[in-house]
Amino acid sequence: MDFEKVAKQLAHPVGSFGIEVALGMNHLNQFISKNTYDLLQLGDSDKVLEVGMGNGKFIKDILSYGDNISYTGIDISETMIVEAKKLNEKPIDSRRVDIIHASIEKMPFWEEQFNKVCTINTVYFWKAPLIALSEVYRILTEDGVFVLSFRPYIEGQSLDFSQYGFTEYKAEDIMALVNKTNFKIVDTINITEPPVVFNGQTHNLMSQYYILRKTR
Ligand SMILES: C[S@@+](CC[C@H](N)C(=O)[O-])C[C@H]1O[C@@H](n2cnc3c(N)ncnc32)[C@H](O)[C@@H]1O
């Protein structure tokens, strides 16, 4: 496997190889995604934004938390926008789901448009992390919740592709970043995921979840 090529696709999936890599992400990231959605503590009328939803395979899981939940997903990859639209035709038709081509650093939304925001495994690719966090803060309602989920850098535990073009964060790096914003850290949670096979090897990945609240 050409890990450098895979890493590029993880950052920004393009074309048929991007579609294939996204299916691999579904396999690797099912657990971290489900945990993130649980931590959002979704209520029936929540307005949810997910940043970097990839092919949108797990959107149906968010919708399953309540009949009136609305969901918007953004991604910088046009390939992922097309895939996510294909996979979620029905809820898009019924206007529960909207999929938009955009980057976290410049989101096409009004102030306070969402009360729940999440992002899973995208922080490694943000070009301007403080601007990204200030954008999330801007579009969240007061008391709104942002769950940022990622796999922290732990020596010896990285997957083979993360050395290429990823900004790997240790737990304390994210803490330092968040402390420069107005977000209140409600909780940080570490979870050792169930074993997952990647490229013929079994990994026991650790994921970390920052639960942040917008306060003034
Ligand atoms: C490693 S994939 C993770 C996909 C999915 N969240 C998961 O955990 O399986 C990263 C996704 O974030 C998107 N992405 C990267 N940088 C982004 C940015 N600045 N704004 C929005 N999406 C971004 C990529 O295009 C890609 O679809």
Side-chain angles (χ1 to χ4, degrees):
M1 184 182 286
D2 182 335
F3 293 114
E4 195 168 354
K5 260 174 82 179
V6 173
K8 268 197 188 143
Q9 293 293 338
L10 292 170
H12 188 154
V14 178
S16 55
F17 188 40
I19 293 172
E20 203 183 306
V21 169
L23 295 174
M25 291 196 266
N26 294 155
H27 168 67
L28 268 183
N29 299 333
Q30 189 168 357
F31 183 83
I32 186 172
S33 301
K34 187 80 185 78
N35 271 334
T36 303
Y37 303 153
D38 279 346
L39 291 169
L40 281 173
Q41 298 199 322
L42 291 165
D44 194 35
S45 55
D46 280 346
K47 294 184 173 28
V48 182
L49 170 69
E50 181 172 8
V51 174
M53 76 288 149
N55 66 9
K57 167 135 196 246
F58 304 127
I59 293 174
K60 62 177 182 344
D61 295 327
I62 290 199
L63 299 182
S64 73
Y65 284 82
D67 289 343
N68 297 311
I69 289 176
S70 68
Y71 172 99
T72 300
I74 66 164
D75 203 291
I76 54 168
S77 156
E78 292 193 39
T79 301
M80 290 300 98
I81 297 295
V82 172
E83 289 307 291
K85 283 185 175 171
K86 267 196 230 155
L87 271 177
N88 294 282
E89 255 177 43
K90 269 198 182 155
I92 289 173
D93 284 350
S94 62
R95 295 175 176 269
R96 283 190 78 194
V97 167
D98 201 5
I99 303 291
I100 295 172
H101 183 230
S103 169
I104 189 169
E105 286 97 352
K106 196 168 190 283
M107 295 195 275
F109 305 123
W110 302 114
E111 280 72 15
E112 312 208 342
Q113 202 170 321
F114 302 94
N115 69 324
K116 300 280 167 79
V117 178
C118 68
T119 195
I120 304 157
N121 287 324
T122 72
V123 66
Y124 332 106
F125 312 116
W126 297 352
K127 295 204 165 48
L130 270 177
I131 292 177
L133 289 176
S134 70
E135 268 294 85
V136 175
Y137 191 89
R138 181 181 70 77
I139 54 90
L140 259 181
T141 54
E142 197 166 351
D143 285 330
V145 170
F146 174 35
V147 179
L148 189 169
S149 310
F150 72 113
R151 299 204 174 98
Y153 174 74
I154 300 171
E155 209 170 327
Q157 278 204 58
S158 294
L159 292 171
D160 302 307
F161 46 72
S162 51
Q163 58 189 296
Y164 300 104
F166 277 54
T167 302
E168 294 196 278
Y169 289 88
K170 291 187 187 146
E172 59 267 30
D173 299 332
I174 296 287
M175 182 74 85
L177 193 63
V178 173
N179 279 335
K180 289 185 186 153
T181 72
N182 289 325
F183 277 112
K184 176 174 181 249
I185 299 175
V186 177
D187 207 354
T188 62
I189 296 169
N190 296 308
I191 296 180
T192 304
E193 302 181 26
V196 68
V197 177
F198 172 72
N199 198 31
Q201 269 188 305
T202 302
H203 295 264
N204 293 291
L205 301 169
M206 212 269 271
S207 44
Q208 187 163 68
Y209 308 79
Y210 272 80
I211 303 167
L212 309 176
R213 189 179 292 284
K214 174 168 175 172
T215 51
R216 283 199 197 280

